[in-house]
Amino acid sequence: MKSISLDITKAAQFLKPGAIQEYEPKVKAAQEALENGTCPGNDFLGWLHLPSSIKPEFLDEVQTVAHSLREMCDVIVVAGIGGSYLGARAVIEALQNSFAWLVRQKGTPAVVFAGNNIGEDYLSELEDCLKDRNFGVINISKSGTTTETALTFRLLKKLCEEQRGKETAKDVIVTITDAKKGAARICADKEGYKTFVIPDNVGGRFSVFTPVGLLPIACAGFDIKALINGAADMERATGKHIPFDQNIAAQYAAVRNALYNEAGKKIEIMVNYQPKLHFISEWWKQLFGESEGKEHKGIFPASCDFTTDLHSMGQWIQEGERSIFETVISIEQPNRNLLFPSDEENLDGLNFLAGKRIDEVNKMAELGTCLAHVDGGVPNMRISVPTLNEYYIGQLLYFFEIACGISGNVLGVNPFNQPGVEAYKKNMFALLNKPGYEAESKAIQARLK
Ligand code: PA5
């Protein structure tokens, strides 16, 4: 079986000779600390060996629940935010037909995502769309108290019960949450919903290989065993005994830190040339942003979809402030085969491309852009993925997880907490006069006078 690979040569040329090698001891120490559980946030390392430890029987159970939801629903709404939805959405959008809503086959429910915003129009429009459709709900929240998800679940539960009756609604509502605590757990136990547990030691953004990712992905009809196989193979390929120069996660972590510390590159742009990968970048942004952005440190993770964004952000990347580097996810073989058409009139002058694979044109856009950006002072790394399927996406996601664990430790932060995300919640609750926030409400009102 092939593997994803990493080319760092066009990033290394921006660093002094030996600069990447200098990170080897730090990277090794970070890997040791992860393995030995001696790093900061060591109570959140359950993701590290998750792929290789998942039992086939557990995947069978997830598939059985997915099968039942698929039988009973035309639409399955996944309610979750951040780590509780981005992994599933990333995998599903990478694998499904780009126009899935137009070509949906009978027996394949649409998997849609909500609970990730507080948009009144969004939620009301969702209700309108669900009113006359058989829908089910996967409610995902580790804490069980996240406002966006809890609000959405209230609306969906009510609508589902009105539509199917309370008894039947139970068969199409699944909760994925903490084993014991939180509102989602209490509600699920009270109502008798099927539940899956998010392990205590797996944080939201590292949870794609738990039921958080697996159940929605299986509901969309994709092969979760192949996904886990890919992740488990990458777990082996990036283990601490793999030599530094052969370990792509160690290399990626080292280059990022070297570019940040030695070359002043503060922004990493994750680039793809396949629109299906948009949500892989969204998932990656959360993974690295929430893991590394703390103590006033950390690379800012950004993303672009090329060639689309070359017509909007291309100018900035080529000639703006030189504080950026790019990491390109390149898909070696598309799943389809389509040729550039010939045109008798050739008004656009593009007949010289007629008969070529469209992917060949895309690949030349990719290479041409890489060379132009490197010439313009933008270091460039390239992750090659043999093709888009469950197995290689499993590899890719685990590669980013382990690289993030290493990179955050090299940076010197705790990659597994997110204290900063509480600040907006505190203000929001104070502004909304949440009981228990009386002092904060008073203080914030005084600030606003
Ligand atoms: O990575 C994280 O921990 C966060 O993105 C959470 O997943 C997100 O805030 C949702 O939290 P919860 O699952 O508790 O609703």
Side-chain angles (χ1 to χ4, degrees):
M1 197 61 90
K2 287 193 199 167
S3 181
I4 65 168
S5 58
L6 176 73
D7 181 355
I8 60 167
T9 48
K10 290 188 177 59
Q13 71 189 68
F14 287 85
L15 293 161
K16 69 176 184 345
I20 297 168
Q21 210 59 37
E22 277 174 20
Y23 276 83
E24 181 174 357
K26 286 186 187 157
V27 164
K28 283 272 167 214
Q31 280 202 285
E32 285 288 342
L34 285 169
E35 281 294 338
N36 300 336
T38 51
C39 60
N42 54 4
D43 42 348
F44 281 97
L45 292 173
W47 57 273
L48 191 59
H49 295 297
L50 187 62
S52 62
S53 59
I54 293 180
K55 300 264 177 299
E57 307 82 67
F58 181 69
L59 296 178
D60 288 341
E61 187 193 338
V62 173
Q63 269 167 339
T64 303
V65 174
H67 182 75
S68 151
L69 286 175
R70 281 167 66 86
E71 296 258 288
M72 294 189 71
C73 307
D74 299 324
V75 180
I76 297 167
V77 187
V78 178
I81 193 167
S84 289
Y85 95 104
L86 281 167
R89 187 160 193 182
V91 176
I92 292 169
E93 298 220 352
L95 292 173
Q96 77 180 2
N97 189 302
S98 304
F99 304 93
W101 67 91
L102 293 176
V103 297
R104 195 152 300 287
Q105 281 161 4
K106 225 179 144 24
T108 305
V111 176
V112 302
F113 294 88
N116 53 58
N117 62 65
I118 320 178
E120 189 163 335
D121 286 351
Y122 184 92
L123 290 165
S124 176
E125 284 161 15
L126 177 66
E127 282 198 328
D128 279 354
C129 292
L130 295 175
K131 238 180 4 234
D132 301 318
R133 291 186 163 90
N134 284 326
F135 75 94
V137 185
I138 306 176
N139 184 34
I140 309 180
S141 179
K142 189 171 182 193
S143 62
T145 54
T146 303
T147 309
E148 292 85 343
T149 309
L151 157 68
T152 304
F153 184 65
R154 281 187 181 210
L155 295 169
L156 294 174
K157 178 176 185 286
K158 187 161 173 283
L159 191 62
C160 191
E161 288 174 352
E162 280 166 9
Q163 200 182 70
R164 299 189 189 244
K166 213 168 162 61
E167 270 313 300
T168 318
K170 283 182 192 169
D171 297 334
V172 292
I173 298 179
V174 178
T175 297
I176 305 177
T177 190
D178 186 86
K180 297 196 191 83
K181 54 183 193 302
R185 165 57 58 191
I186 295 166
C187 170
D189 288 348
K190 181 170 148 271
E191 300 287 357
Y193 300 149
K194 169 73 189 163
T195 63
F196 287 99
V197 169
I198 309 175
D200 268 352
N201 59 358
V202 180
R205 58 190 174 277
F206 288 85
S207 68
V208 62
F209 300 121
T210 73
V212 170
L214 298 175
L215 183 62
I217 293 167
C219 284
F222 297 113
D223 183 348
I224 55 174
K225 290 190 175 167
L227 183 86
I228 294 295
N229 281 342
D233 282 351
M234 187 51 63
E235 183 190 319
R236 286 182 274 276
T238 54
K240 70 169 184 166
H241 298 298
I242 307 295
F244 179 65
D245 60 348
Q246 290 164 36
N247 184 334
I248 58 173
Q251 293 277 306
Y252 179 56
V255 174
R256 297 178 84 249
N257 277 281
L259 289 170
Y260 179 67
N261 291 317
E262 326 303 336
K265 304 298 177 189
K266 307 294 184 199
I267 300 164
E268 177 175 10
I269 306 177
M270 186 58 62
V271 165
N272 67 72
Y273 283 80
Q274 305 287 347
K276 283 167 173 248
L277 298 183
H278 178 83
F279 270 91
I280 297 265
S281 296
E282 294 302 309
W283 173 85
W284 169 87
K285 282 196 286 196
Q286 188 207 352
L287 182 68
F288 278 83
E290 216 167 54
S291 299
E292 291 196 324
K294 42 198 77 154
E295 298 173 32
H296 297 170
K297 295 195 275 193
I299 294 169
F300 182 82
S303 65
C304 281
D305 299 329
F306 286 173
T307 57
T308 312
D309 293 339
L310 286 172
H311 297 257
S312 56
M313 295 303 291
Q315 172 62 34
W316 198 104
I317 295 170
Q318 191 68 45
E319 294 182 353
E321 189 182 271
R322 300 298 73 187
S323 50
I324 55 172
F325 65 99
E326 280 179 332
T327 301
V328 177
I329 303 178
S330 179
I331 308 300
E332 288 167 29
Q333 274 301 326
N335 286 311
R336 303 288 193 109
N337 190 331
L338 188 63
L339 302 182
F340 207 107
S342 172
D343 185 85
E344 217 168 277
E345 292 188 78
N346 194 26
L347 291 176
D348 52 17
L350 292 176
N351 267 356
F352 71 102
L353 297 172
K356 283 190 194 300
R357 291 277 300 269
I358 289 177
D359 192 56
E360 189 181 334
V361 181
N362 203 22
K363 288 288 188 312
M364 291 309 108
E366 183 184 321
L367 181 56
T369 304
C370 169
L371 295 174
H373 288 180
V374 168
D375 288 346
V378 180
N380 197 290
M381 282 191 273
R382 183 166 181 266
I383 298 163
S384 292
V385 179
T387 194
L388 269 184
N389 63 25
E390 290 90 334
Y391 176 79
Y392 291 120
I393 291 175
Q395 283 196 2
L396 183 68
L397 299 187
Y398 186 83
F399 158 75
F400 281 132
E401 286 187 352
I402 182 69
C404 181
I406 298 170
S407 184
N409 271 287
V410 171
L411 182 67
V413 297
N414 173 357
F416 308 117
N417 65 4
Q418 53 283 329
V421 301
E422 296 309 314
Y424 98 89
K425 293 182 194 168
K426 202 176 102 196
N427 285 346
M428 178 178 79
F429 290 141
L431 288 164
L432 290 167
N433 297 314
K434 183 176 176 174
Y437 282 72
E438 289 74 14
E440 287 87 350
S441 296
K442 229 171 130 187
I444 207 160
Q445 289 307 337
R447 261 178 77 183
L448 295 176
K449 273 192 187 134

